[in-house]
Amino acid sequence: MSWKFELLCKPMGGVTEGPVWDGEQLLFTHIPASRIMRIDPKTDEITLWREGTNRTNGLAHDTAGRLFGCCSGGRAIVRFDGDGSTAVVADRIEGHPLNTPNDLAVDAQGRIWFTNPWNAGNIDATEIEVPGWRCVLRADPQPDGSYTVTRVESDSTMPNGILVSIDGKTLYVAESNSDDPSIDRELRAYPVNDDGSLGPYAMLHAFGTDGTNAQRGIDGMCFDREGNIVATAGWPSSGPGPLIYIFDPKGRVIETHPVPCIRPTNCAFGGPDRSVLYVTSAEGHVFKAQTDMEGWALFP
């Protein structure tokens, strides 16, 4: 089936990101405006849902439907509560501030796995106390409602999109490698051990190294019902262009679908039967496409 992308929103000026479906509407972030917007699936009308989000990027729900976000401007993982308030879940590790949390995934145990790169435009590089902590971190809920933050890997340089597999046994990470021209941009799969630690990763797909002919690797991604990874990647500068890639859990490319923008940033399935794929972009677009797939997420 060929997907036809319909433009719902012309470029808003700056990155749109973090699409999530909450059972009734599609939410997404407009990072530079510090807003979360909503899309009515019946009319495609886009309206303001929350403002003052301090450059929040990725969004994710837990099993109870609570909405968490990567607040890059506040260097924190936050929770957007139903009364309109925002609670800081985690903002430090071993006494040091986080970098600029980018994307996150919540597992069935309520643990929040998140990427902690440094993204220019959010904070100055000189503010990063521990530059080596451009890695994946995990915030674990405690009985008193607080969270403890742990580093779970040390071999990424610029982690971006992140997913926890449907069975909770694999952590998928997009390694963007924005700074090191000698390292491939990759889709990685880390086995999750029973104690929450990670085993050595398997490289599922490589997009190549940096340079004049570099392909742009994965930014954001989501799952279909079968556990296949649906990812945004590519740009017109090199390679096959801006695409939606569909990988099976072992990394085989099943399908690709061209997206009519320069740099697609993230995607999520929504609609009553979760068959509509919504896509955001670095230019601030929002697209939707009717697919022959059924999406999956922890909630609803």
Side-chain angles (χ1 to χ4, degrees):
M1 176 182 177
S2 177
W3 297 357
K4 181 180 180 181
F5 285 94
E6 178 183 349
L7 179 64
L8 301 185
C9 179
K10 295 180 179 179
M12 300 179 72
V15 180
T16 46
E17 251 282 4
V20 291
W21 174 252
D22 71 0
E24 297 181 356
Q25 59 195 354
L26 192 287
L27 303 176
F28 69 92
T29 57
H30 184 203
I31 296 175
S34 292
R35 290 178 170 179
I36 298 176
M37 310 299 290
R38 66 181 295 273
I39 300 175
D40 183 334
K42 296 178 181 178
T43 65
D44 292 333
E45 180 184 13
I46 298 176
T47 55
L48 177 66
W49 186 79
R50 183 78 71 98
E51 57 186 345
T53 63
N54 200 359
R55 300 182 68 87
T56 290
N57 190 332
L59 300 173
H61 292 104
D62 66 5
T63 55
R66 298 184 299 174
L67 182 66
F68 295 85
C70 288
C71 180
S72 57
R75 305 176 68 175
I77 301 300
V78 299
R79 186 183 67 242
F80 297 104
D81 291 333
D83 61 1
S85 64
T86 302
V88 174
V89 168
D91 61 0
R92 305 183 78 81
I93 177 170
E94 297 181 11
H96 297 281
L98 302 180
N99 290 343
T100 51
N102 183 286
D103 206 354
L104 73 170
V106 186
D107 67 19
Q109 300 178 48
R111 300 177 298 189
I112 303 169
W113 306 75
F114 64 98
T115 53
N116 186 50
W118 168 66
N119 287 326
N122 292 312
I123 60 173
D124 189 273
T126 59
E127 296 182 49
I128 298 178
E129 295 184 23
V130 189
W133 276 344
R134 298 183 182 186
C135 57
V136 178
L137 306 177
R138 192 186 68 234
D140 294 354
Q142 303 302 305
D144 64 358
S146 65
Y147 287 75
T148 59
V149 180
T150 304
R151 180 174 186 161
V152 295
E153 58 84 21
S154 58
D155 42 36
S156 65
T157 64
M158 191 65 73
N160 201 332
I162 187 167
L163 293 173
V164 178
S165 64
I166 295 174
D167 63 8
K169 295 181 178 180
T170 305
L171 184 74
Y172 296 102
V173 178
E175 166 62 285
S176 293
N177 293 310
S178 299
D179 295 335
D180 191 336
S182 68
I183 303 175
D184 278 336
R185 293 167 175 169
E186 299 174 343
L187 172 61
R188 297 176 173 179
Y190 294 83
V192 180
N193 300 319
D194 292 342
D195 63 358
S197 63
L198 300 181
Y201 72 85
M203 191 276 288
L204 302 187
H205 187 87
F207 290 84
T209 57
D210 209 344
T212 55
N213 295 316
Q215 294 188 52
R216 175 173 173 263
I218 292 171
D219 193 334
M221 47 191 179
C222 64
F223 283 124
D224 77 351
R225 178 63 65 179
E226 305 303 317
N228 297 311
I229 301 157
V230 182
T232 56
W235 53 11
S237 303
S238 59
L243 295 173
I244 298 295
Y245 285 81
I246 304 173
F247 301 94
D248 74 10
K250 298 296 184 181
R252 182 173 68 91
V253 179
I254 301 172
E255 299 176 20
T256 60
H257 298 273
V259 184
C261 64
I262 295 175
R263 291 177 295 169
T265 54
N266 213 333
C267 57
F269 286 98
D273 58 0
R274 288 208 161 192
S275 64
V276 177
L277 187 73
Y278 292 87
V279 179
T280 54
S281 84
E283 297 74 51
H285 302 88
V286 180
F287 301 94
K288 75 171 186 179
Q290 180 62 53
T291 76
D292 54 353
M293 304 174 70
E294 180 184 356
W296 180 90
L298 195 64
F299 176 89

Coordinates of all heavy atoms in Angstrom, one line a residue, residues 182-263:
S182 N 33.5 9.7 12.5 CA 34.0 8.4 12.3 C 33.1 7.3 12.7 O 33.4 6.1 12.5 CB 35.3 8.2 13.1 OG 35.1 8.3 14.5
I183 N 31.9 7.7 13.2 CA 31.0 6.7 13.8 C 29.7 6.7 12.9 O 29.2 7.7 12.6 CB 30.6 7.0 15.2 CG1 31.9 7.1 16.1 CG2 29.7 6.0 15.8 CD1 31.7 7.5 17.5
D184 N 29.2 5.5 12.7 CA 28.0 5.3 11.9 C 26.8 5.8 12.7 O 26.8 5.8 13.9 CB 27.7 3.8 11.6 CG 28.5 3.3 10.4 OD1 28.8 4.2 9.5 OD2 28.7 2.1 10.3
R185 N 25.8 6.3 12.0 CA 24.5 6.6 12.6 C 23.7 5.3 12.5 O 23.6 4.7 11.4 CB 23.8 7.7 11.8 CG 24.5 9.1 12.0 CD 24.1 10.1 11.0 NE 24.8 11.4 11.3 CZ 24.7 12.4 10.5 NH1 24.1 12.4 9.3 NH2 25.4 13.5 10.8
E186 N 23.2 4.9 13.7 CA 22.8 3.5 13.8 C 21.4 3.4 14.5 O 21.0 4.2 15.3 CB 23.8 2.7 14.5 CG 25.1 2.6 13.9 CD 26.1 1.8 14.8 OE1 25.9 1.7 16.0 OE2 27.2 1.4 14.2
L187 N 20.7 2.3 14.2 CA 19.6 1.8 15.0 C 20.2 0.6 15.8 O 20.7 -0.3 15.3 CB 18.5 1.3 14.1 CG 17.3 0.6 14.9 CD1 16.7 1.5 15.9 CD2 16.3 0.1 13.9
R188 N 20.1 0.8 17.2 CA 20.7 -0.2 18.0 C 19.6 -0.9 18.9 O 18.6 -0.3 19.2 CB 21.7 0.4 19.0 CG 22.9 1.0 18.3 CD 23.8 1.8 19.2 NE 25.0 2.2 18.6 CZ 26.0 2.9 19.2 NH1 25.9 3.2 20.5 NH2 27.1 3.3 18.5
A189 N 19.9 -2.2 19.2 CA 19.0 -2.9 20.1 C 19.8 -3.5 21.3 O 20.7 -4.2 21.1 CB 18.3 -4.1 19.3
Y190 N 19.4 -3.0 22.5 CA 20.0 -3.5 23.7 C 19.1 -4.5 24.4 O 18.0 -4.1 24.7 CB 20.3 -2.3 24.7 CG 21.2 -1.3 24.3 CD1 20.9 -0.2 23.4 CD2 22.6 -1.2 24.7 CE1 21.8 0.8 23.0 CE2 23.5 -0.3 24.4 CZ 23.1 0.7 23.5 OH 23.9 1.7 23.1
P191 N 19.6 -5.6 24.8 CA 18.8 -6.5 25.6 C 18.6 -6.0 27.0 O 19.6 -5.5 27.6 CB 19.6 -7.9 25.6 CG 21.0 -7.5 25.3 CD 20.9 -6.2 24.4
V192 N 17.4 -6.0 27.5 CA 17.1 -5.5 28.9 C 17.1 -6.7 29.8 O 16.3 -7.7 29.7 CB 15.8 -4.8 29.0 CG1 15.5 -4.3 30.4 CG2 15.7 -3.6 28.0
N193 N 18.1 -6.7 30.8 CA 18.2 -7.8 31.7 C 17.1 -7.7 32.8 O 16.5 -6.7 33.0 CB 19.6 -7.8 32.4 CG 20.7 -8.0 31.4 OD1 20.5 -8.8 30.4 ND2 21.8 -7.3 31.5
D194 N 16.9 -8.8 33.6 CA 15.9 -8.8 34.6 C 16.1 -7.7 35.7 O 15.1 -7.2 36.2 CB 15.9 -10.2 35.3 CG 15.4 -11.3 34.4 OD1 14.7 -11.0 33.3 OD2 15.6 -12.5 34.7
D195 N 17.3 -7.3 35.9 CA 17.6 -6.3 36.9 C 17.5 -4.9 36.4 O 17.8 -3.9 37.1 CB 18.9 -6.5 37.6 CG 20.1 -6.4 36.7 OD1 19.9 -6.2 35.4 OD2 21.2 -6.6 37.1
G196 N 17.2 -4.8 35.1 CA 17.1 -3.5 34.4 C 18.3 -3.0 33.8 O 18.3 -2.0 33.0
S197 N 19.4 -3.7 34.0 CA 20.7 -3.4 33.3 C 20.6 -3.8 31.8 O 19.7 -4.6 31.4 CB 21.9 -4.1 33.9 OG 21.7 -5.5 33.8
L198 N 21.5 -3.3 31.0 CA 21.5 -3.6 29.5 C 22.6 -4.5 29.2 O 23.7 -4.3 29.7 CB 21.5 -2.3 28.7 CG 20.4 -1.3 28.9 CD1 20.6 -0.1 28.0 CD2 19.0 -1.9 28.6
G199 N 22.4 -5.4 28.3 CA 23.5 -6.1 27.7 C 24.1 -5.4 26.5 O 23.6 -4.3 26.1
P200 N 25.2 -6.0 25.9 CA 25.8 -5.3 24.7 C 24.8 -5.2 23.6 O 24.0 -6.1 23.4 CB 26.9 -6.3 24.4 CG 27.2 -7.1 25.6 CD 25.9 -7.2 26.3
Y201 N 24.8 -4.1 22.9 CA 23.8 -3.8 21.8 C 24.2 -4.6 20.6 O 25.3 -4.9 20.3 CB 23.7 -2.3 21.6 CG 24.9 -1.7 20.8 CD1 25.0 -1.7 19.4 CD2 25.9 -1.0 21.5 CE1 26.0 -1.1 18.8 CE2 26.9 -0.4 20.9 CZ 27.0 -0.5 19.5 OH 28.0 0.1 18.8
A202 N 23.1 -4.8 19.8 CA 23.3 -5.3 18.4 C 23.0 -4.1 17.5 O 22.0 -3.4 17.7 CB 22.3 -6.5 18.2
M203 N 23.8 -3.9 16.5 CA 23.6 -2.9 15.5 C 22.6 -3.4 14.4 O 23.0 -4.4 13.7 CB 24.9 -2.4 14.9 CG 24.8 -1.2 14.0 SD 24.3 -1.5 12.4 CE 25.8 -2.3 11.7
L204 N 21.4 -2.9 14.4 CA 20.4 -3.4 13.5 C 20.5 -2.8 12.1 O 20.2 -3.4 11.1 CB 19.0 -3.2 14.0 CG 18.7 -3.8 15.4 CD1 17.2 -3.6 15.7 CD2 19.1 -5.3 15.5
H205 N 20.9 -1.5 12.0 CA 20.9 -0.8 10.7 C 21.9 0.3 10.9 O 21.9 1.1 11.8 CB 19.6 -0.3 10.3 CG 19.5 0.3 8.9 ND1 19.3 -0.5 7.8 CD2 19.7 1.5 8.4 CE1 19.3 0.2 6.7 NE2 19.6 1.5 7.1
A206 N 22.8 0.5 9.9 CA 23.7 1.6 9.8 C 23.4 2.6 8.6 O 23.2 2.1 7.5 CB 25.1 1.1 9.7
F207 N 23.4 3.9 8.9 CA 23.1 4.8 7.9 C 24.4 5.5 7.3 O 24.3 6.3 6.4 CB 22.2 5.9 8.4 CG 20.8 5.5 8.7 CD1 20.5 4.9 9.9 CD2 19.8 5.7 7.8 CE1 19.2 4.5 10.2 CE2 18.5 5.3 8.0 CZ 18.2 4.7 9.2
G208 N 25.5 5.1 7.9 CA 26.8 5.7 7.4 C 27.3 6.7 8.3 O 26.7 7.2 9.3
T209 N 28.5 7.2 8.0 CA 29.2 8.2 8.8 C 28.9 9.6 8.3 O 28.2 9.8 7.3 CB 30.7 8.0 8.8 OG1 31.2 8.0 7.4 CG2 31.1 6.6 9.4
D210 N 29.4 10.6 9.0 CA 29.2 12.0 8.6 C 30.0 12.4 7.4 O 30.9 11.6 7.0 CB 29.5 12.9 9.8 CG 28.7 14.2 9.8 OD1 28.1 14.5 8.8 OD2 28.6 14.8 10.9
G211 N 29.8 13.6 6.9 CA 30.6 14.0 5.8 C 29.6 14.5 4.7 O 28.4 14.6 4.9
T212 N 30.2 14.9 3.5 CA 29.4 15.5 2.5 C 28.3 14.6 1.9 O 27.3 15.0 1.4 CB 30.3 15.9 1.3 OG1 31.0 14.8 0.9 CG2 31.2 17.0 1.8
N213 N 28.5 13.3 2.0 CA 27.5 12.3 1.5 C 26.8 11.6 2.6 O 26.2 10.5 2.4 CB 28.2 11.3 0.6 CG 28.8 12.0 -0.7 OD1 28.1 12.8 -1.3 ND2 30.0 11.6 -1.0
A214 N 26.7 12.2 3.8 CA 26.1 11.5 4.9 C 24.6 11.4 4.8 O 24.0 12.3 4.4 CB 26.5 12.2 6.2
Q215 N 24.1 10.2 5.2 CA 22.7 10.0 5.3 C 22.3 10.5 6.7 O 23.1 10.3 7.7 CB 22.3 8.6 5.1 CG 22.5 8.0 3.7 CD 21.9 6.6 3.6 OE1 20.8 6.4 3.9 NE2 22.7 5.7 3.1
R216 N 21.1 11.1 6.8 CA 20.6 11.4 8.1 C 19.9 10.2 8.7 O 19.1 9.6 8.1 CB 19.6 12.6 8.0 CG 18.9 12.9 9.3 CD 18.0 14.2 9.1 NE 17.2 14.5 10.3 CZ 15.9 14.1 10.4 NH1 15.3 13.5 9.4 NH2 15.3 14.4 11.5
G217 N 20.4 9.8 9.9 CA 19.8 8.6 10.6 C 18.5 8.9 11.2 O 17.8 9.9 11.0
I218 N 18.1 8.0 12.1 CA 16.7 8.0 12.7 C 16.7 9.1 13.7 O 17.6 9.4 14.5 CB 16.4 6.7 13.4 CG1 16.3 5.6 12.3 CG2 15.2 6.7 14.2 CD1 16.2 4.2 12.9
D219 N 15.5 9.8 13.7 CA 15.2 10.8 14.7 C 14.2 10.2 15.7 O 14.6 9.8 16.8 CB 14.6 12.1 14.0 CG 14.6 13.3 15.0 OD1 14.5 13.1 16.2 OD2 14.6 14.4 14.5
G220 N 13.0 10.1 15.3 CA 12.0 9.5 16.2 C 11.4 8.2 15.7 O 11.5 8.0 14.5
M221 N 10.7 7.5 16.5 CA 10.2 6.2 16.0 C 9.1 5.7 17.0 O 8.9 6.2 18.1 CB 11.3 5.1 15.9 CG 12.2 5.0 17.1 SD 13.6 4.0 16.8 CE 14.5 4.1 18.4
C222 N 8.2 4.8 16.4 CA 7.1 4.2 17.2 C 7.0 2.7 16.7 O 7.7 2.3 15.9 CB 5.8 5.0 17.0 SG 5.2 5.0 15.3
F223 N 6.0 2.0 17.3 CA 5.8 0.6 17.0 C 4.5 0.4 16.3 O 3.5 1.1 16.5 CB 5.7 -0.2 18.3 CG 7.0 -0.5 19.0 CD1 7.2 -0.2 20.3 CD2 8.1 -1.2 18.3 CE1 8.4 -0.5 20.9 CE2 9.3 -1.5 18.9 CZ 9.4 -1.1 20.3
D224 N 4.4 -0.7 15.5 CA 3.1 -1.2 15.1 C 2.8 -2.4 16.0 O 3.6 -2.8 16.9 CB 3.1 -1.6 13.6 CG 3.8 -2.9 13.3 OD1 4.5 -3.5 14.2 OD2 3.7 -3.4 12.2
R225 N 1.6 -3.0 15.8 CA 1.1 -4.0 16.7 C 2.0 -5.3 16.7 O 2.1 -6.0 17.6 CB -0.3 -4.4 16.3 CG -1.0 -5.5 17.0 CD -1.1 -5.1 18.5 NE -2.1 -4.0 18.7 CZ -2.4 -3.6 19.9 NH1 -1.9 -4.1 21.0 NH2 -3.2 -2.6 20.1
E226 N 2.8 -5.5 15.6 CA 3.6 -6.6 15.5 C 5.0 -6.4 16.0 O 5.8 -7.3 16.0 CB 3.7 -7.0 14.0 CG 2.4 -7.2 13.3 CD 1.6 -8.3 13.9 OE1 2.2 -9.3 14.3 OE2 0.4 -8.1 14.1
G227 N 5.2 -5.2 16.6 CA 6.6 -4.9 17.1 C 7.6 -4.4 16.1 O 8.8 -4.3 16.4
N228 N 7.1 -4.1 14.9 CA 8.0 -3.5 13.9 C 8.2 -2.1 14.3 O 7.3 -1.4 14.9 CB 7.3 -3.6 12.5 CG 7.2 -5.0 12.1 OD1 8.1 -5.8 12.1 ND2 6.0 -5.4 11.6
I229 N 9.4 -1.5 13.9 CA 9.8 -0.2 14.2 C 9.5 0.7 13.1 O 10.0 0.5 12.0 CB 11.3 -0.1 14.6 CG1 11.5 -1.1 15.8 CG2 11.7 1.3 14.9 CD1 13.0 -1.5 15.9
V230 N 8.7 1.8 13.3 CA 8.4 2.7 12.3 C 9.1 4.0 12.6 O 8.9 4.6 13.7 CB 6.8 3.0 12.3 CG1 6.5 4.0 11.2 CG2 6.1 1.7 12.1
A231 N 10.0 4.4 11.7 CA 11.0 5.5 12.1 C 11.1 6.6 11.0 O 10.9 6.3 9.8 CB 12.4 4.8 12.2
T232 N 11.3 7.8 11.5 CA 11.6 8.9 10.6 C 13.1 9.1 10.4 O 13.9 9.0 11.4 CB 11.0 10.2 11.2 OG1 11.6 10.4 12.6 CG2 9.5 10.2 11.4
A233 N 13.5 9.3 9.2 CA 14.9 9.4 8.9 C 15.1 10.1 7.5 O 14.1 10.2 6.8 CB 15.6 8.1 9.0
G234 N 16.3 10.5 7.2 CA 16.7 11.0 5.9 C 16.5 12.4 5.7 O 15.8 13.1 6.5
W235 N 17.1 12.9 4.6 CA 17.0 14.3 4.2 C 17.3 14.4 2.7 O 17.8 13.4 2.1 CB 17.8 15.2 5.0 CG 19.3 14.9 5.1 CD1 20.0 13.9 4.4 CD2 20.2 15.4 6.0 NE1 21.3 13.9 4.8 CE2 21.5 14.8 5.8 CE3 20.2 16.4 7.0 CZ2 22.6 15.1 6.5 CZ3 21.3 16.8 7.7 CH2 22.5 16.1 7.5
P236 N 17.1 15.5 2.0 CA 17.4 15.6 0.6 C 18.9 15.6 0.3 O 19.3 15.4 -0.9 CB 16.7 16.9 0.1 CG 15.7 17.2 1.2 CD 16.3 16.7 2.5
S237 N 19.7 15.9 1.3 CA 21.1 16.2 1.0 C 21.9 15.0 0.5 O 22.8 15.1 -0.3 CB 21.8 16.6 2.3 OG 21.2 17.8 2.8
S238 N 21.4 13.8 0.9 CA 22.1 12.6 0.4 C 21.2 11.4 0.7 O 20.2 11.4 1.5 CB 23.4 12.4 1.2 OG 23.2 12.3 2.6
G239 N 21.6 10.2 0.1 CA 20.9 9.0 0.4 C 19.5 9.0 -0.3 O 19.3 9.8 -1.3
P240 N 18.6 8.2 0.1 CA 17.3 8.1 -0.6 C 16.3 9.2 -0.2 O 15.1 9.1 -0.7 CB 16.8 6.7 -0.1 CG 17.4 6.5 1.3 CD 18.7 7.2 1.2
G241 N 16.7 10.1 0.6 CA 15.7 11.2 0.9 C 15.0 11.0 2.2 O 15.1 10.0 2.9
P242 N 14.1 12.0 2.5 CA 13.3 11.9 3.7 C 12.3 10.7 3.6 O 11.4 10.7 2.7 CB 12.5 13.2 3.8 CG 13.3 14.1 2.8 CD 13.8 13.2 1.7
L243 N 12.3 9.8 4.6 CA 11.5 8.6 4.5 C 10.9 8.2 5.9 O 11.5 8.5 6.9 CB 12.4 7.4 4.0 CG 12.9 7.5 2.6 CD1 13.9 6.3 2.4 CD2 11.8 7.4 1.6
I244 N 9.9 7.4 5.8 CA 9.4 6.6 6.9 C 10.0 5.2 6.6 O 9.7 4.6 5.6 CB 7.9 6.5 7.0 CG1 7.3 7.9 7.3 CG2 7.5 5.5 8.1 CD1 7.7 8.5 8.7
Y245 N 10.8 4.7 7.5 CA 11.4 3.4 7.4 C 10.6 2.4 8.3 O 10.2 2.8 9.4 CB 12.8 3.3 7.9 CG 13.9 3.9 7.0 CD1 14.1 5.3 6.9 CD2 14.7 3.1 6.2 CE1 15.1 5.8 6.1 CE2 15.6 3.6 5.4 CZ 15.8 4.9 5.3 OH 16.8 5.5 4.5
I246 N 10.3 1.2 7.9 CA 9.7 0.2 8.7 C 10.7 -1.0 8.8 O 11.0 -1.6 7.8 CB 8.4 -0.3 8.1 CG1 7.4 0.9 8.0 CG2 7.7 -1.3 9.1 CD1 6.1 0.6 7.3
F247 N 11.2 -1.2 10.0 CA 12.1 -2.2 10.3 C 11.4 -3.4 11.1 O 10.6 -3.1 12.0 CB 13.3 -1.8 11.2 CG 14.1 -0.6 10.6 CD1 13.8 0.7 10.9 CD2 15.2 -0.9 9.8 CE1 14.5 1.7 10.4 CE2 15.9 0.2 9.3 CZ 15.6 1.5 9.6
D248 N 11.8 -4.6 10.8 CA 11.3 -5.7 11.7 C 12.2 -5.7 12.9 O 13.2 -4.9 13.0 CB 11.2 -7.0 11.0 CG 12.6 -7.7 10.7 OD1 13.6 -7.2 11.3 OD2 12.6 -8.7 10.0
P249 N 11.9 -6.4 14.0 CA 12.6 -6.3 15.2 C 14.1 -6.7 15.1 O 14.9 -6.4 16.0 CB 11.9 -7.3 16.2 CG 10.5 -7.3 15.7 CD 10.6 -7.2 14.2
K250 N 14.5 -7.4 14.0 CA 15.9 -7.7 13.8 C 16.6 -6.7 12.9 O 17.8 -6.9 12.6 CB 15.9 -9.1 13.1 CG 15.4 -10.2 14.0 CD 16.2 -10.4 15.3 CE 15.6 -11.6 16.1 NZ 16.4 -11.7 17.4
G251 N 15.9 -5.7 12.4 CA 16.5 -4.7 11.6 C 16.3 -4.8 10.1 O 16.9 -3.9 9.4
R252 N 15.6 -5.7 9.7 CA 15.4 -5.8 8.2 C 14.4 -4.7 7.8 O 13.4 -4.5 8.4 CB 14.8 -7.2 7.8 CG 14.6 -7.4 6.3 CD 14.2 -8.8 6.0 NE 12.9 -9.2 6.6 CZ 11.7 -9.0 5.9 NH1 11.7 -8.5 4.7 NH2 10.6 -9.4 6.4
V253 N 14.8 -4.0 6.7 CA 13.9 -3.0 6.2 C 12.7 -3.6 5.4 O 13.0 -4.3 4.4 CB 14.6 -2.0 5.3 CG1 13.7 -0.9 4.7 CG2 15.8 -1.3 6.0
I254 N 11.5 -3.5 5.9 CA 10.4 -4.1 5.3 C 9.8 -3.2 4.2 O 9.4 -3.6 3.1 CB 9.3 -4.4 6.4 CG1 9.8 -5.3 7.4 CG2 8.0 -5.0 5.7 CD1 8.9 -5.5 8.6
E255 N 9.6 -1.9 4.6 CA 9.1 -0.9 3.6 C 9.7 0.5 3.9 O 10.3 0.7 5.0 CB 7.6 -0.7 3.9 CG 6.7 -1.9 3.7 CD 5.2 -1.6 4.1 OE1 4.8 -0.5 4.1 OE2 4.5 -2.6 4.3
T256 N 9.6 1.3 2.9 CA 9.9 2.7 3.1 C 8.8 3.6 2.4 O 8.3 3.1 1.4 CB 11.3 3.1 2.5 OG1 11.3 2.8 1.1 CG2 12.4 2.4 3.2
H257 N 8.6 4.8 2.9 CA 7.6 5.6 2.4 C 8.1 7.1 2.4 O 8.4 7.6 3.4 CB 6.3 5.6 3.2 CG 5.7 4.2 3.2 ND1 4.8 3.8 2.2 CD2 5.8 3.2 4.1 CE1 4.4 2.6 2.5 NE2 5.0 2.1 3.6
P258 N 8.2 7.7 1.2 CA 8.7 9.1 1.1 C 7.8 10.1 1.9 O 6.5 9.9 1.9 CB 8.7 9.4 -0.4 CG 8.7 8.1 -1.0 CD 7.9 7.2 -0.1
V259 N 8.4 11.0 2.5 CA 7.6 12.1 3.3 C 7.9 13.4 2.6 O 9.1 13.7 2.3 CB 8.1 12.1 4.8 CG1 7.2 13.1 5.5 CG2 8.0 10.7 5.4
P260 N 6.9 14.3 2.4 CA 7.1 15.5 1.7 C 7.6 16.7 2.6 O 6.9 17.7 2.7 CB 5.7 15.8 1.1 CG 4.8 15.2 2.1 CD 5.5 14.0 2.6
C261 N 8.7 16.5 3.2 CA 9.4 17.5 4.0 C 10.9 17.3 3.9 O 11.3 16.3 3.4 CB 8.8 17.6 5.4 SG 9.2 16.1 6.4
I262 N 11.6 18.2 4.5 CA 13.1 18.1 4.4 C 13.6 17.1 5.5 O 14.4 16.2 5.2 CB 13.8 19.5 4.6 CG1 13.4 20.4 3.4 CG2 15.3 19.3 4.7 CD1 13.9 21.8 3.5
R263 N 13.1 17.3 6.7 CA 13.6 16.4 7.8 C 12.5 16.0 8.7 O 12.1 16.7 9.6 CB 14.7 17.2 8.6 CG 16.0 17.4 7.9 CD 16.9 18.2 8.8 NE 16.4 19.5 9.0 CZ 16.9 20.4 9.9 NH1 17.9 20.0 10.7 NH2 16.4 21.6 10.1

